[in-house]
Amino acid sequence: MKSNTRLIYIVDDDPDDRQIILDAFLEKSPQIDYVFLENAETLMETLYAAEAELPALILLDLNMPGMLGLHALKEIRANRQFSQIPIIVLTTSTLHQDRKMSYELGASCFLRKPDSFVELVDITDCIVKLWLHEYHHPQTQFPPAEKL
């Protein structure tokens, strides 16, 4: 399997949420490829499919019917083939325990779904800038590690 640096998997059981998240990403990042998955089982099947391209990032809801997002997170992190894919939990949960467990199981980031579309656009823009390295500003220069 190869990694696609322009591909984001959006895993959410709510079709309205998937559409709103896509709309938010498209506001500032139309060049990214998006794949929608309705549940964690489909996510795992897609990752294990031999012809699948690995995504640059997984955006994962926690509360879905069937396999919960936390279980998928645990399974992905346990598999060396997928363990390096950044996973951002994007959820309506406000429970401290969900945040704690997400990080303990290897989430790269835990974000609560915002109440406004404008906030969601800001969040998705930050996600692309922080996690999809290909799209960092080309004039950003960092000194070589040995000079730090």
Side-chain angles (χ1 to χ4, degrees):
M1 280 190 224
K2 62 179 182 165
S3 184
N4 181 339
T5 59
R6 296 173 23 133
L7 179 61
I8 296 176
Y9 284 0
I10 300 172
V11 187
D12 198 307
D13 62 312
D14 185 313
D16 292 334
D17 281 358
R18 287 194 306 268
Q19 186 61 53
I20 291 168
I21 292 167
L22 174 63
D23 291 346
F25 271 115
L26 291 176
E27 284 284 319
K28 296 195 176 177
S29 300
Q31 75 280 13
I32 305 294
D33 297 322
Y34 305 94
V35 170
F36 300 101
L37 304 163
E38 296 179 7
N39 55 54
E41 289 93 347
T42 305
L43 168 63
M44 299 313 301
E45 290 169 8
T46 303
L47 287 173
Y48 284 117
E51 70 278 358
E53 285 186 311
L54 292 180
L57 176 78
I58 297 171
L59 206 61
L60 181 64
D61 189 18
L62 288 186
N63 301 314
M64 295 179 281
M67 179 189 284
L68 296 176
L70 287 174
H71 186 260
L73 177 59
K74 182 178 181 178
E75 188 173 331
I76 291 167
R77 289 297 180 241
N79 185 312
R80 286 183 16 177
Q81 193 174 6
F82 315 130
S83 64
Q84 297 304 310
I85 301 170
I87 300 173
I88 297 175
V89 172
L90 184 64
T91 182
T92 57
S93 175
T94 58
L95 298 175
H96 173 73
Q97 186 64 20
D98 283 344
R99 176 182 297 273
K100 183 175 184 263
M101 284 300 299
S102 294
Y103 282 123
E104 286 176 2
L105 293 173
S108 304
C109 188
F110 182 98
L111 300 169
R112 187 173 177 281
K113 290 178 182 175
D115 295 327
S116 79
F117 182 72
V118 172
E119 288 177 273
L120 186 59
V121 169
D122 289 342
I123 287 171
T124 56
D125 186 43
C126 288
I127 287 170
V128 170
K129 288 177 180 173
L130 290 170
W131 294 101
L132 276 65
H133 307 291
E134 177 181 329
Y135 298 102
H136 281 197
H137 195 276
Q139 293 180 354
T140 303
Q141 296 293 323
F142 297 102
E146 62 272 4
K147 294 189 179 187
L148 292 177

